Amino acid sequence: MSGKKKIDEGLEYIRAAEKSLKTSVLKWRPDYEMAADEYSKAATCFKNGKSYEQCMECLLKAAECHKQNRALFHAAKSIEQAVLICKELGDLREVANLAERSCCLYQQHGSADAGCGALTKAAKILETTHPEEALRLYQRAVEVSVIEDSARQAAEYVSKTARILVRLGMYDKAADAIKREIGFHQQSEHLPAIGRLAVALVLVQLARGDTVAAEKAFKEWGNCCDAPEVQTLEMLLSAFDEEDPDAARQALNSPFMKHMDVEYARLARDLPLPHGTSSQPKGQVRENAAPSYVSSRAAGSQGGGGAAPAGGEEDDFEGGLC
């Protein structure tokens, strides 16, 4: 009953908003500010009444009124709230587009951080079911952070893109993303994070099947790793170079590998091991099998100076070929 009451209240606010948008002889311009406020109140009523489709419609109308009134921040905020309503509806098709619209309005207002926040919220909603869309939003957040010259924030978002790329098996792009993340950490002088990224980059290069690139990554960034990480990477690269699956398995099962980010820990667990050169198996001997053929000359030579050939039978080559 209370839900229907809230919906009726929301309809009253909609009528008030539509009245504010009407013009007359003495009112030449619609009252967008009043209309946006009435639509926002209606959206709240519909949300409490669990009429999410009407709530979404009112939020978008409120955003449009805010835009007409040059209130870009409030317009972006209304669209950002519409993203959350999409989650309640279970319809995620418009989440990415709404988040990008909200981010653009935040940027126009000069609130780039809020824009990145809107993109991140939407990406988290999409990350499980629509990782490609989430990847696009995180990449957009990286671009916004680069424009704002925020290297630390850009490193955070590019890290999320790298992990999604690893999850999707797109190792070439993942390697490029990790290198870019290392570059951002260098700009912000956040060197401790580079050590773990060096390990992640080596794993990704090995997943690509490029041991040369993995060794190059270790030589370039290995000096940022801790001593246990250096020892493990040396063992791992040596095992792949010598095609030793046992040593590679031991390196990949090291404790710090298991405590990395989930995507990299899974990559270490599922990484194909090198195929070592196995020795030829010895042939099995059958029971009651016939003895091997031995020539009469070989049989006569066994036993250390056996009996001489029978009389009258002389070696054809006795005395040499001459």
Side-chain angles (χ1 to χ4, degrees):
M1 189 68 180
S2 61
K4 188 176 185 305
K5 184 179 179 181
K6 286 293 182 183
I7 292 174
D8 292 338
E9 186 179 352
L11 293 174
E12 288 289 336
Y13 285 124
I14 288 178
R15 283 190 284 269
E18 291 173 347
K19 184 178 179 180
S20 300
L21 292 174
K22 290 180 179 179
T23 58
S24 63
V25 176
L26 300 177
K27 182 185 175 184
W28 294 356
R29 187 177 183 274
D31 191 347
Y32 290 114
E33 184 178 359
M34 180 64 71
D37 186 50
E38 297 294 341
Y39 277 128
S40 297
K41 290 177 181 178
T44 303
C45 291
F46 288 133
K47 182 180 179 182
N48 293 334
K50 298 189 183 302
S51 180
Y52 296 118
E53 291 183 359
Q54 288 177 297
C55 177
M56 167 84 79
E57 184 179 351
C58 287
L59 285 172
L60 294 179
K61 286 183 177 179
E64 186 61 31
C65 290
H66 282 306
K67 282 176 63 178
Q68 294 294 333
N69 200 38
R70 306 289 183 181
L72 299 181
F73 183 88
H74 294 293
K77 194 70 177 176
S78 296
I79 296 176
E80 185 179 353
Q81 291 173 355
V83 170
L84 301 178
I85 298 301
C86 286
K87 181 182 178 183
E88 296 292 339
L89 281 170
D91 185 3
L92 306 181
R93 290 174 296 178
E94 293 297 321
V95 168
N97 292 331
L98 290 173
E100 289 181 327
R101 284 174 58 189
S102 177
C103 179
C104 288
L105 290 170
Y106 276 128
Q107 281 185 282
Q108 292 176 34
H109 179 264
S111 304
D113 291 343
C116 289
L119 292 170
T120 304
K121 289 177 185 177
K124 287 180 180 178
I125 294 173
L126 296 170
E127 197 166 340
T128 303
T129 55
H130 300 79
E132 294 86 359
E133 295 291 325
L135 177 64
R136 191 182 87 195
L137 294 179
Y138 282 132
Q139 289 172 337
R140 179 81 174 91
V142 173
E143 295 173 3
V144 174
S145 300
V146 170
I147 293 172
E148 296 299 316
D149 198 19
S150 177
R152 186 179 290 269
Q153 197 172 25
E156 177 185 350
Y157 296 135
V158 79
S159 173
K160 296 179 185 294
T161 65
R163 294 201 295 268
I164 293 178
L165 288 167
V166 169
R167 192 190 313 164
L168 295 174
M170 303 169 68
Y171 298 125
D172 292 344
K173 294 183 178 180
D176 294 337
I178 294 173
K179 292 175 184 177
R180 194 178 184 191
E181 184 181 357
I182 290 174
F184 286 133
H185 282 303
Q186 284 182 309
Q187 291 180 25
S188 61
E189 298 181 354
H190 189 214
L191 299 182
I194 298 178
R196 282 299 178 96
L197 290 174
V199 178
L201 183 56
V202 168
L203 291 175
V204 170
Q205 298 290 21
L206 290 176
R208 292 179 60 238
D210 193 344
T211 55
V212 175
E215 292 177 359
K216 182 180 178 181
F218 176 63
K219 290 177 181 178
E220 190 171 358
W221 307 111
N223 58 342
C224 299
C225 299
D226 296 333
E229 297 173 349
V230 171
Q231 294 175 359
T232 303
L233 288 180
E234 287 178 345
M235 180 189 299
L236 180 63
L237 292 172
S238 176
F240 270 84
D241 186 46
E242 298 174 1
E243 296 185 346
D244 187 348
D246 295 331
R249 186 180 298 108
Q250 182 181 354
L252 293 171
N253 286 331
S254 62
F256 84 87
M257 287 278 192
K258 296 180 179 179
H259 289 88
M260 295 181 69
D261 291 327
V262 176
E263 290 79 8
Y264 297 127
R266 288 176 180 171
L267 180 62
R269 181 193 65 189
D270 301 333
L271 191 68
L273 299 176
H275 300 287
T277 55
S278 57
S279 57
Q280 295 291 335
K282 295 182 179 180
Q284 297 180 354
V285 179
R286 294 183 181 179
E287 296 183 1
N288 302 323
S292 302
Y293 169 75
V294 180
S295 64
S296 58
R297 187 180 302 279
S301 62
Q302 292 177 355
E313 294 180 5
E314 295 180 356
D315 194 347
D316 294 337
F317 298 104
E318 185 178 0
L321 295 176
C322 298

